[in-house]
Amino acid sequence: MSRGHRLFYPALPVVAEHAPHRAVYVGDADGRCEILAWDRAAGTARQVTDRPAGTVRAALDPAGATIWWFDDDLGGVGTWRTCDFDRPDRSVEALPSVLPARHAGIAMAADGTTAVGLSDDGGMTVFLRTGDGRVGERVHVGGYAYLVDLDPAGRLLVVGADAATDPAVTVFTADGVRVAAIGGGPDRRVWALGFAPGVDPARLLLVVEDEGGYLPATWTAAEGVVRHGWCRFDTEITAGWFPDGRRLLVRQDRHARTLLYEVDLAARTRTVVDTPPGSVLDAAVWPDGDVAYVWTDSVTPPQLRSVRGVELPEHPGGHSEAGGPDAGAAPADYRREEIRVPGPGGPIPALVALPADREGPRPAVFLVHGGPFQHARDAYDPLVEILVSTGCAVVRVNYRGSSGYGAAWRNDFSAGVGLTQLEDLAAVRAHLVAEGVVEDRRTALWGTSWGGYLTLLALGRQPELWRLGIAISPVADYVAAFEAATPAVRALDVLLFGGTPDEVPQRYARSSPVTYVDRVRAPVLLAVSTGDVRCPPGPVEHYARLLAERRVPHQVVRRRAGHEDFDAQSHLALMQTVLLFMQRHFDGVQDEGTPIALAMARPVG
């Protein structure tokens, strides 16, 4: 059943396992993401956090009595705090003896015993807080790792690492003794998802990559890993348990959309859960058995839906533009197409949005997705609406490296990191120009994070193709960014390049935008955030100085934010700046009263 209320942040509320009438979720508080406590029985919500940069990480103990929330700075370093569900205005430090660090997971046993993962440059440490408030260190893992779960009995905890490494998953006792290690590999990745509720002995859910497909697996101490090969999927999946500990809710990303399945491991059955066409950004089975999910499509902002018709409450401090039932005026009138374009690695999927009232070739903006293992999907993106209303075609390419199209496509970086993706972007551009859809001399790139990196790389590697670049929180110098980044980001870089910059320097240089800065001719807007530890601002500032020395038109926007910005007003100001830059430097972009404030008041997706 559909409801008019929407989520300000595209993640499901967290529902108390033993008190399903209590939940916490990320809501809108004066244009910021903040944590709200939701009494589902009373249909009311109260604001829990109130921080200048917003708050997006929270948990709720199984009894529904204690709210946990993460009090971090712009760089993601912080501490967990707790408050009583009935008195959310009074919070205390949850782990008073533990130094601030980055969030790396939180999990709770049935009795409220809580495991917390915290990471720093030295690795990841798991701390355990028992019901009487005692806190102790249990596990330390060097390098990149994260806490996955604590079993309901509080006896086992599981830690995940890079899915392609050995071990990818490690199971420990609550005292820190290693019980089992599950290895992954470049073509046999393994992800741990969590323990089954209320099951003894503990049963861990996994997803494994196998022969180009994906399938669920389970682990127990007695049986080890059991693969459920009868339930194979051709594209990426994630999954969670039903409360009975026997069935799974599987979410499959497939060809820009999402499918949900109920999988019965004992009966060996797989049944489609009926959802509208579009994308499901999050899904779970709540303790009362309701299947809840965050749904969106190209014209509908993310909203909470469920089989039983759950509805978010009204709450003080929120804006109807961001989360109320009347949010979202009628979308801009535009045509949407899905195409497949011949490419060097096979057919390249792309989503194309076109102004409905204009014929002939149009200026085009290629919105370059990040990740790298994300994908453009049938989901609401306010930028599409904004840019189409200015007269531009909008193109979103699911180039090689994108998820949703199978392991072979996702893992293809055969021409080099970034360079493979540029081949596909160029192929789609050439096809649309040949078909008379876009103008040859008026195509622009716009990307955030890894999409911003591809934007800068394309401007230097393919200067004859692109007439403007918008790069928000990009990587401009891969070596410098590697040195300044977090262990998680460095682990991803090592996976992509096959080593560190010291081990494979030529690969990093060949794929780094700064290598090609002498060839950049198009105007460039660069947006950096002071607290960004994933794409550090220093190398981008240096890249901007190199552009200035070469007299390349450019503008640098500096924001007080982390890699992600949860302040709607900050988003609005950035979009206004970007559109003014485009109007100055990119012929064809027109100011036609685009509802920027309305569209950008929802920092979701």
Side-chain angles (χ1 to χ4, degrees), residues 561-575:
H563 186 69
E564 297 177 280
D565 189 356
F566 303 110
D567 186 333
Q569 292 304 314
S570 176
H571 280 263
L572 171 60
L574 177 60
M575 292 306 103

Side-chain angles (χ1 to χ4, degrees), residues 170-548:
T170 308
V171 182
F172 298 89
T173 68
D175 294 326
V177 178
R178 194 168 82 163
V179 174
I182 304 169
D187 57 354
R188 50 183 180 85
R189 292 170 172 81
V190 180
W191 297 267
L193 300 179
F195 288 104
V199 173
D200 195 11
R203 192 181 192 193
L204 176 66
L205 175 62
L206 308 164
V207 165
V208 299
E209 183 183 70
D210 179 72
E211 297 181 354
Y214 301 86
L215 52 92
T218 50
W219 172 91
T220 61
E223 296 181 310
V225 176
V226 176
R227 298 178 175 222
H228 302 281
W230 61 270
C231 192
R232 181 181 298 273
F233 295 84
D234 62 348
T235 60
E236 292 84 350
I237 62 170
T238 188
W241 293 98
F242 273 76
D244 58 19
R246 177 175 57 92
R247 292 173 294 155
L248 306 177
L249 180 67
V250 175
R251 173 163 54 103
Q252 180 188 23
D253 284 327
R254 192 171 194 279
H255 300 182
R257 293 185 175 83
T258 310
L259 298 170
L260 288 184
Y261 299 89
E262 179 184 323
V263 172
D264 191 319
L265 295 179
R268 295 168 64 97
T269 59
R270 184 168 80 181
T271 306
V272 174
V273 178
D274 187 27
T275 58
S279 294
V280 174
L281 306 181
D282 195 9
V285 186
W286 283 348
D288 58 4
D290 194 6
V291 176
Y293 53 97
V294 179
W295 176 85
T296 178
D297 67 9
S298 295
V299 297
T300 312
Q303 57 184 220
L304 176 63
R305 296 189 173 202
S306 86
V307 171
R308 298 180 185 174
V310 68
E311 184 174 359
L312 286 175
E314 297 288 348
H315 58 269
H319 297 294
S320 61
E321 294 92 342
D326 58 339
D333 185 17
Y334 62 91
R335 295 184 284 118
R336 298 177 296 280
E337 300 177 1
E338 295 182 40
I339 62 174
R340 292 285 186 118
V341 175
I348 307 164
L351 307 177
V352 182
L354 302 167
D357 58 347
R358 306 185 187 202
E359 298 297 331
R362 306 157 186 82
V365 179
F366 282 63
L367 290 183
V368 189
H369 75 70
F373 305 121
Q374 297 178 9
H375 63 280
R377 58 172 80 223
D378 181 13
Y380 182 75
D381 186 339
L383 288 181
V384 175
E385 184 176 335
I386 291 170
L387 291 170
V388 169
S389 70
T390 68
C392 293
V394 178
V395 185
R396 296 180 291 162
V397 180
N398 280 320
Y399 38 71
R400 282 170 286 172
S402 302
S403 57
Y405 297 87
W409 190 258
R410 181 182 187 271
N411 299 332
D412 187 352
F413 291 81
S414 55
V417 176
L419 307 176
T420 305
Q421 289 66 48
L422 296 197
E423 287 184 347
D424 290 353
L425 285 168
V428 173
R429 180 194 179 278
H431 171 82
L432 292 174
V433 169
E435 293 293 314
V437 177
V438 305
E439 296 186 33
D440 185 25
R441 301 191 60 81
R442 291 201 289 179
T443 54
L445 293 163
W446 181 329
T448 298
S449 190
W450 209 71
Y453 152 69
L454 290 179
T455 295
L456 296 185
L457 186 64
L459 295 179
R461 285 279 301 195
Q462 302 166 333
E464 71 283 359
L465 300 184
W466 311 105
R467 293 296 173 261
L468 182 119
I470 307 297
I472 299 171
S473 299
V475 173
D477 181 335
Y478 239 120
V479 175
F482 182 93
E483 297 301 328
T486 64
V489 174
R490 290 198 292 268
L492 175 60
D493 292 346
V494 169
L495 170 67
L496 290 174
F497 287 95
T500 68
D502 289 336
E503 295 166 340
V504 288
Q506 291 182 339
R507 294 180 188 176
Y508 280 83
R510 187 165 175 258
S511 295
S512 187
V514 73
T515 301
Y516 310 101
V517 68
D518 286 334
R519 300 175 58 188
V520 176
R521 298 292 180 267
V524 188
L525 184 140
L526 300 158
V528 297
S529 296
T530 56
D532 194 339
V533 293
R534 297 189 201 174
C535 299
V540 184
E541 296 275 9
H542 176 66
Y543 185 86
R545 289 192 291 271
L546 295 177
L547 292 177

